[in-house]
Amino acid sequence: MAALRLAHEEKWWYADRVMWTGRFSQPTADLVLEYGESVSYDWKLYEHDIAGSTAHARAQLKAGMLTQEEFDAIANGLQEILADIKAGNFSWSMKLEDVHMNIESELTRRIGAPGAKLHTARSRNDQVATDTRLYCRAQIDATLELLKDMQRALVQKASQYAEVRIPGYTHLQRAQPVTIGHHLLAYVEMLDRDAARLADCRRRVNVSPLGSGAIAGSTINLDRAGIAAELGFDSVSENSMDAIADRDYIMETLFDLSLIGTHLSRLSEDLVLWSSAEFGYCTLSDAHTTGSSLMPQKKNPDVCELTRGKSGRLYGNLVSVMVAVKGLPLTYNRDLQEDKEPLFDSFETVSLALRVNAEMVAAMRINPDRCAAAVSDPLLLATDLADYLVRRGVPFRKAHELVGKAVAVSVGTGTPLNKLSLDEFKEISPEYGEDVHEVFSLDRAFALRTNPGAPSAANTARRIAYWQNKLA
Ligand code: ARG
């Protein structure tokens, strides 16, 4: 830590303002303080900062650099500060720049001399990397729980409406029949990969940089492994320069959060469509929609739209850190302070998005009548008709053409595809058999879709059971 103002009488150091006294003849300009402070947001690291400092002090105790009394004073002082911060009784000072100096300075103000020993063999460079990794780890764990809650809401809805059939879309054109169950479970799969990605990222996050010092470790050797173990890290970093310079774990986390945003955004768009008068497949609850200040009839899917919009902000956070880091020479540069706001914002955004979306999905109703009307479109079974011809020995490309011709007749004459007569089918091709109309049964269509991943009732039921068990 920087040299702080020596309180005149006392033999210990504390400050109410950063004063780089030894080397400098002027105090830092107010505008520079304002420009450079990070405590207005990095105060959120306080719990991790205190945990890190406590572990660091314990290592100093073990190394014989602190007496038991000094260690106790530090550890208890930090716990009291922690309690005060939690109770809202701590006044943060922008003049002390960041969370680290605020807490250290206050500790020294409270306990005197031992506080001034805390920063031995440590720099804010390894301290901030430690705090941020601990923060990331805790937030990843919380996000993993929220992902599960979201998956639970989707699985519950999928099971409630497992066999409600709807058109599936490609290019937003009706393609083939699927079910609400199958459609919603698609998102459960996506969120599961999101969770796996975060869990994997956590392994790279959970490495202790403490002991890397400002750049090249310290001439005073503290037990890095012991500190790491106390903080729940899996290992210690192997290169002091790498440990304080890189922010790859932050970018990786931000990417994983962006992808969660992408998946929620696509779900949002589906629900915007489904809840419209044009589709009518679902009704969102009054509690999760909003009205219009002008049009009395409106019920708007704002939660979905906000989720869609916020995905852009998640990508922005990722890009802003990547750009901030890419041109920096090793090792620490103050640019790296710009990593925190995007990181905090992405976790906070994703956390709220998962919570509100889980609630909205849980409260959503599906309208089986509207679904049934839409899925009764016989054109959804045109592919099944081609498969029917294939079963009768017609090569698929030929079958595709023969069904295309039938569709053209249907569209041209205004006759639904399933209402073309046997003669009309036979006229297109003698390959069409007496049983051609049986193809237009949705029961048949779903019963045939038994291959893994396809939406037969049995497959969907099996997958719902799998998720219920996994998320229990
Ligand atoms: N607030 C700083 C950050 O977030 C802490 C590290 C400051 N280190 C330094 N050498 N100025 O990056």
Side-chain angles (χ1 to χ4, degrees), residues 338-359:
E338 292 293 312
D339 63 357
K340 273 172 265 337
E341 281 173 294
L343 180 66
F344 297 169
D345 182 70
S346 282
F347 270 122
E348 285 161 20
T349 299
V350 165
S351 148
L352 204 48
L354 285 169
R355 287 168 57 206
V356 70
N357 277 282
E359 215 183 83

Side-chain angles (χ1 to χ4, degrees), residues 167-434:
Y169 298 81
T170 62
H171 313 269
L172 198 54
Q173 306 289 319
R174 285 181 181 170
Q176 296 184 11
V178 295
T179 58
I180 293 284
H182 195 58
H183 194 127
L184 293 181
L185 288 183
Y187 287 107
V188 179
E189 304 283 347
M190 293 179 215
L191 295 177
D192 198 56
R193 289 192 297 279
D194 290 336
R197 254 185 296 274
L198 271 180
D200 188 54
C201 172
R202 188 190 192 282
R203 297 189 302 122
R204 285 175 290 282
V205 165
N206 204 27
V207 177
S208 177
L210 212 58
S212 301
I215 171 168
S218 172
T219 59
I220 297 162
N221 288 329
L222 297 179
D223 176 14
R224 293 195 63 202
I227 296 174
E230 176 168 346
L231 294 172
F233 284 119
D234 295 327
S235 57
V236 299
S237 56
E238 294 291 347
N239 183 301
S240 62
M241 296 177 76
D242 169 42
I244 59 146
D246 205 3
R247 295 293 183 269
D248 54 356
Y249 65 99
I250 290 182
M251 295 179 258
E252 187 178 352
T253 299
L254 288 174
F255 173 75
D256 293 351
L257 296 174
S258 295
L259 218 39
I260 295 174
T262 304
H263 291 147
L264 293 181
S265 180
R266 296 189 74 173
L267 171 65
S268 298
E269 177 55 17
D270 276 341
L271 297 183
V272 166
L273 291 169
W274 287 10
S275 63
S276 69
E278 282 69 18
F279 281 74
Y281 299 169
C282 79
T283 304
L284 300 173
S285 83
D286 285 359
H288 300 96
T289 47
T290 60
S292 157
S293 56
L294 176 73
M295 300 166 282
Q297 85 285 10
K298 291 297 291 293
K299 180 168 159 179
N300 297 326
D302 286 26
V303 170
C304 303
E305 296 166 67
L306 284 165
T307 305
R308 212 172 47 188
K310 282 173 193 289
S311 62
R313 157 178 181 163
L314 296 170
Y315 310 158
N317 288 339
L318 168 63
V319 170
S320 88
V321 176
M322 292 192 70
V323 175
V325 173
K326 81 172 182 62
L328 302 183
L330 293 189
T331 52
Y332 181 84
N333 299 268
R334 193 63 181 279
D335 317 41
L336 292 175
Q337 182 167 295
E338 292 293 312
D339 63 357
K340 273 172 265 337
E341 281 173 294
L343 180 66
F344 297 169
D345 182 70
S346 282
F347 270 122
E348 285 161 20
T349 299
V350 165
S351 148
L352 204 48
L354 285 169
R355 287 168 57 206
V356 70
N357 277 282
E359 215 183 83
M360 182 183 69
V361 165
M364 165 179 89
R365 281 186 295 109
I366 295 295
N367 304 321
D369 294 352
R370 294 295 301 270
C371 296
V375 80
S376 69
D377 180 352
L379 289 178
L380 287 163
L381 295 170
T383 315
D384 292 52
L385 188 57
D387 290 349
Y388 158 88
L389 291 174
V390 166
R391 284 198 180 82
R392 294 170 65 89
V394 182
F396 180 76
R397 283 293 162 218
K398 181 72 187 164
H400 186 282
E401 183 193 335
L402 295 178
V403 174
K405 284 183 174 165
V407 170
V409 173
S410 158
V411 172
T413 60
T415 316
L417 187 61
N418 58 337
K419 298 292 187 232
L420 295 187
S421 66
L422 184 58
D423 285 348
E424 284 171 304
F425 276 118
K426 288 274 191 203
E427 208 168 295
I428 293 164
S429 167
E431 305 287 355
Y432 284 111
E434 316 259 300

Side-chain angles (χ1 to χ4, degrees), residues 47-59:
E47 251 186 296
H48 308 301
D49 196 72
I50 286 171
S53 288
T54 307
H56 183 72
R58 199 183 318 279

